[in-house]
Amino acid sequence: MAWKVNAWIKYLEGYCQGKNQIQDEYVRKVAASLGLEGPLNIDFKWQGQIIQQFNSKDSQGVIILTGTAGDGKTKLCRDIVKQIDGDLFNEDDWNARSYFCNEDRTIVKDFSELQSEKFEVIEQLIDVLTAGKASKPILIAVNDGILVEEIDNYISRARSEEVKKTASLLKEIIEDKINLGFSDCNRQELIKLINLSKLNAKDNFSLIINEIVGHAGWEGCNDCDGKKNNQCPIYSKYQLLKTSKTVRENLSNIILLLQLNNEHFTIRELLNLATNTILSAIPKPKSLKTCSEDLNHSVFNCLRVSKVNNINDYFSDTSIEVGFWGMNLGPHKMLNYRPYSEINKLMFGELSTNYWDNYLKEESERALKLPLDAFNDIVNAKATKKAQVEPELWSAVIRRSRMQAYCYQSQDPKAFLLQKYRSFGYYKDRIFEKLQLSTRCEDFDVISLIILALNRVFHGRYINEQSGKDRLYIPENGQGSITPISIFHADEIRDRDIYISKVTGDFQLDGARIEPEVVFVIDRQTSLKLNLTVELFDFLYEVAAGAPPNTTNPRLYKKLLIFRSKLATQIHKISRTSINRLETYTIKDGDFKPSTLKVNHG
């Protein structure tokens, strides 16, 4: 027996390369050339809904697939057409063209590649709005902004005022649905816009990982010496991901955290991340590696692994976190290339607590074993001199051990204390999980926390918990934290008028991402909304715990003062046209107190 070259691993290596190597047509050609009958084919749950919508006679109209480059629009178009056509689907014809138009349907797999046909497609959309119905299904894949730009060009050249008017309506509908997720325009229901950037990246990443580790291609490793002798780092990481649901869930929760911070990961980026996690070699930065050896390549394949002498020496340095955080790519790519740049902004391993450091030291009391446990004497040492190691190695072991503790831990409520948004565990359990089951979150403790923090931000003072948690006091413009005067004219919004909802569009898919927002109900007709990202909630969480708002995060502090101004303006407008009386308050010893204005006569 000897080391074998597995075509499946060679295929996965392509996803670790540049953007061109991950395009739909290219990876299918590579799979065919390698003799793989079943290339990576992820069954996204939202895909079936779109196919049903496009193929249904009852909902015949226009479907526009939009998003950024790499969101999978071209592949989705292909899958829709292939599923509908079955054996009649012609692969060569599909790869050769971007525009397919006949009496039965119109398919545009990439709008940006069209030339003179762009205006023809726009005219078909205008005809749909004019007639009030679609005579045939129309499917268009287009990147954000390009379609709107071409409609503008069409309007500038159109001679008929009626056509210009309808084209302007089309543009408004599309812009609304891209930016807001819905439109109130007339006949907007005829244009179904699906923004793939709004899909759940956490679920997508989980599906990609599950599809990779569940693929029959790993059978190609059978009878390989690397597998038999437990010397192959690729196969060991594959086994870890396949057998440990905890590790898969922990990694995908990092994607969820970033997604809830309004970060978007394309399918292309997630494919690159998943395959790099499995195939990564050793860290390039010296401060993150534990062995003294250097490798010329950043990712392993079967041939490269077989040529490494003393492969067992590399096992600590080829563990799961190396590829996920992009340590194998070098410092520049780790910090500047997506998706690794965004993941590293969370500073996993750099921030810690005594809880985690004690957890690492007490190896015998842990229910899990870490690859870097071989360096446990370094973790236990109080100084590098005592451990007789270089400071760089000390830094690598401590930081990477913390990262591994996060990857391997199971159901630990303090898991997220290893990164800079320390309230994420609370946010995930009390807000995100509830919004998965309901359209609203009315958790009294969460709302009270937000109200207390906003009262402290809005007034620039330490407001007492007893008077600052049940209602939100809104100063008039120019009052509160902008001036040192403690007396202000104000109105209040009680806790029952504040709740957390999720952003919804007019065409929701099962795989749509959840975007929480705080809703402030001013009256029956008026409400204002504030997007509640992890970063913003973490800021409010810290302020509610006593942190000064103007020092915790000055950028978010200014953002909330601007929002306070909007609230005050809206309340002032309503109060002027109602019989509601504005109360006057003063802040004394951190409590809100009613005040009496004394008027002297002469």
Side-chain angles (χ1 to χ4, degrees), residues 362-387:
E362 302 300 329
E363 182 182 0
S364 59
E365 297 181 13
R366 282 192 265 124
L368 53 89
K369 184 170 177 61
L370 305 177
L372 289 177
D373 277 342
F375 296 88
N376 198 252
D377 59 327
I378 299 178
V379 177
N380 278 290
K382 293 183 178 180
T384 55
K385 289 182 179 179
K386 180 179 177 181

Side-chain angles (χ1 to χ4, degrees), residues 202 205-206 209-211 213 238-255 320 324 406-407:
K202 175 189 184 294
F205 183 70
S206 296
I209 288 286
N210 291 342
E211 179 67 24
V213 300
Y238 149 69
Q239 281 190 310
L240 173 65
L241 289 172
K242 184 177 181 179
T243 58
S244 177
K245 183 179 178 182
T246 294
V247 174
R248 298 198 305 270
E249 183 66 18
N250 291 343
L251 295 182
S252 65
N253 273 333
I254 296 178
I255 302 299
I320 202 79
F324 187 82
Y406 168 78
C407 288

Side-chain angles (χ1 to χ4, degrees), residues 134-290:
S135 59
K136 60 180 178 179
I138 300 174
L139 178 67
I140 302 170
V142 58
N143 286 355
D144 289 342
I146 294 177
L147 182 55
V148 172
E149 182 182 333
E150 288 301 327
I151 294 173
D152 268 333
N153 293 335
Y154 183 90
I155 293 171
S156 65
R157 299 183 188 184
R159 296 182 180 180
S160 166
E161 289 301 319
E162 190 64 30
V163 171
K164 284 186 178 182
K165 183 179 178 181
T166 309
S168 298
L169 174 63
L170 173 66
K171 176 189 172 186
E172 186 176 355
I173 291 171
I174 292 171
E175 284 185 320
D176 282 350
K177 295 196 174 190
I178 288 175
N179 297 322
L180 304 175
F182 66 91
S183 176
D184 293 325
C185 294
N186 186 34
R187 296 188 172 177
Q188 59 81 23
E189 70 279 358
L190 296 170
I191 309 292
K192 294 180 176 64
L193 187 139
I194 301 168
N195 190 344
L196 298 186
S197 297
K198 294 295 184 180
L199 293 173
N200 193 325
K202 175 189 184 294
D203 285 356
N204 289 344
F205 183 70
S206 296
L207 284 167
I208 288 170
I209 288 286
N210 291 342
E211 179 67 24
I212 289 175
V213 300
H215 198 278
W218 292 102
E219 294 175 3
C221 294
N222 293 342
D223 300 325
C224 176
D225 279 356
K227 174 188 173 181
K228 284 189 168 187
N229 301 328
N230 294 320
Q231 290 183 312
C232 180
I234 299 173
Y235 198 82
S236 68
K237 282 183 281 188
Y238 149 69
Q239 281 190 310
L240 173 65
L241 289 172
K242 184 177 181 179
T243 58
S244 177
K245 183 179 178 182
T246 294
V247 174
R248 298 198 305 270
E249 183 66 18
N250 291 343
L251 295 182
S252 65
N253 273 333
I254 296 178
I255 302 299
L256 174 64
L257 190 163
L258 291 163
Q259 172 181 297
L260 289 167
N261 238 5
N262 282 342
E263 190 58 52
H264 169 58
F265 294 103
T266 66
I267 298 293
R268 188 177 294 168
E269 288 171 339
L270 296 177
L271 283 165
N272 177 271
L273 178 63
T275 51
N276 193 66
T277 299
I278 296 175
L279 300 182
S280 61
I282 65 173
K284 295 300 178 186
K286 290 182 178 180
S287 60
L288 288 170
K289 66 185 358 177
T290 56

Side-chain angles (χ1 to χ4, degrees), residues 24 28 40-44 46-47 51 72-86 89 94 139:
D24 183 47
R28 280 185 283 110
L40 194 59
N41 189 25
I42 301 101
D43 184 19
F44 298 109
W46 40 264
Q47 192 164 312
I51 293 172
K73 299 182 296 297
T74 303
K75 182 183 184 299
L76 180 54
C77 267
R78 175 186 179 274
D79 290 347
I80 291 172
V81 176
K82 185 175 182 180
Q83 184 162 333
I84 293 171
D85 288 356
F89 181 76
W94 175 261
L139 178 67

Side-chain angles (χ1 to χ4, degrees), residues 326-338:
M327 301 177 195
N328 60 312
L329 304 175
H332 180 72
K333 288 186 177 180
M334 277 181 68
L335 301 178
N336 297 286
Y337 279 44
R338 293 178 51 87

Side-chain angles (χ1 to χ4, degrees), residues 36 91 99 148-149 217 230 321 426 439 454 456 498 516 600:
L36 293 173
E91 187 87 32
Y99 182 48
V148 172
E149 182 182 333
N230 294 320
E321 81 284 355
Y426 183 92
T439 57
L454 288 178
R456 290 174 174 174
I498 300 175
N600 294 320

